[in-house]
């Protein structure tokens, strides 16, 4: 049975329409509930509508808090990852510097071939750049030193540090 048009126009029905309750602040919604509870007319309908609206608002607040918590967790994760990467980069720079100093001493400063000198390449750049570029500009002495002592790119250094961290854990 469909409620009559007059039934829908009862003040409590109009006051407790979900669309209207959504627009009102919490204190106004509570005032509607109090007004109809005091008059004891159509209390069940108003009570049900107000409770449904307040539950909807609580769900919205809970969803918003959960979304904020997820964003904060992602920010925290990103910050930890950033600090871990920064630490790795610092360690890699120390590795490169130590390797450079040792190679410079071993090669007596002859680290570039003629092509590298002509191109104006700085010898330090060969220790952290891509392998093909390093081979292209490195002197025979430096290539021999790398053959004996090794040369690691940042990616290899990162992989090695992760593997050693996995073994420790």
């Amino acid at each position: 049975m469909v409620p009559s048009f007059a039934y829908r126009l009862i003040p409590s029905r109009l006051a407790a329409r979900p669309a209207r309750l959504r627009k009102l602040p919490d204190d106004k919604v509570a005032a509607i509930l109090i007004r109809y509870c005091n008059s004891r007319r159509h209390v069940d309908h108003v009570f049900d509508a107000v409770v449904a609206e307040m539950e909807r608002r609580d769900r919205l607040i809970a969803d918003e808090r959960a979304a904020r918590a997820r964003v904060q967790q992602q920010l925290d994760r990103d910050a930890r990852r950033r600090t871990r990467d920064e630490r790795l980069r610092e360690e890699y720079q120390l590795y490169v510097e130590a390797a450079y100093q040792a190679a410079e001493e071993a090669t007596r400063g002859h680290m570039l071939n003629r092509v590298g000198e002509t191109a104006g390449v700085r010898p330090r750049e060969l220790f952290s750049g891509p392998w093909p570029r390093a081979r292209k500009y490195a002197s025979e002495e430096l290539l021999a030193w790398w053959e004996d002592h090794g040369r690691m790119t940042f990616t290899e250094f990162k992989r090695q540090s992760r593997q050693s961290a996995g073994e420790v854990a």
Side-chain angles (χ1 to χ4, degrees), residues 118-129:
T118 306
V121 175
R122 294 185 342 202
R124 193 175 303 269
E125 294 172 2
L126 300 180
F127 283 81
S128 59

Side-chain angles (χ1 to χ4, degrees):
M1 178 173 151
V2 176
S4 68
F5 183 68
Y7 176 77
R8 287 188 228 150
L9 293 178
I10 295 173
S12 66
R13 295 267 175 211
L14 292 174
R17 283 193 327 245
R20 180 169 186 261
L21 291 176
R22 282 192 182 112
K23 296 176 186 175
L24 297 174
D26 289 347
D27 58 337
K28 299 285 185 185
V29 173
I32 289 172
L33 180 62
I34 291 169
R35 187 172 92 210
Y36 285 98
C37 283
N38 288 341
S39 71
R40 299 185 199 284
R41 295 177 59 201
H42 309 287
V43 175
D44 292 340
H45 171 72
V46 173
F47 182 79
D48 291 343
V50 168
V51 167
E53 175 60 19
M54 291 311 212
E55 286 174 348
R56 185 190 70 81
R57 290 179 187 196
D58 288 344
R59 280 191 309 274
L60 285 176
I61 290 170
D63 291 348
E64 198 173 290
R65 284 182 183 153
R68 267 193 248 124
R70 282 191 303 274
V71 167
Q72 187 60 47
Q73 287 172 346
Q74 185 62 41
L75 289 173
D76 293 345
R77 239 180 277 126
D78 290 347
R80 283 193 304 273
R81 187 176 300 123
R82 229 183 346 269
T83 56
R84 196 169 45 239
D85 282 348
E86 288 169 359
R87 181 183 47 80
L88 273 174
R89 287 210 179 273
E90 289 171 5
E91 290 174 7
Y92 180 68
Q93 288 306 318
L94 292 173
Y95 161 78
V96 166
E97 185 59 32
Y100 176 79
Q101 295 296 328
E104 187 176 43
E105 187 177 312
T107 62
R108 297 178 310 281
H110 299 288
M111 298 171 78
L112 294 174
N113 60 22
R114 285 192 183 135
V115 177
E117 288 173 1
T118 306
V121 175
R122 294 185 342 202
R124 193 175 303 269
E125 294 172 2
L126 300 180
F127 283 81
S128 59
W131 262 110
R133 184 174 189 274
R135 281 192 201 101
K136 180 179 178 180
Y137 297 125
S139 67
E140 291 297 320
E141 293 91 349
L142 183 57
L143 289 171
W145 189 86
W146 280 335
E147 187 71 32
D148 294 338
H149 298 91
R151 177 186 178 275
M152 245 190 292
T153 63
F154 179 68
T155 306
E156 293 165 340
F157 184 83
K158 194 174 183 179
R159 186 179 317 116
Q160 185 183 40
S161 81
R162 283 188 180 151
Q163 288 172 351
S164 64
E167 291 171 4
V168 171

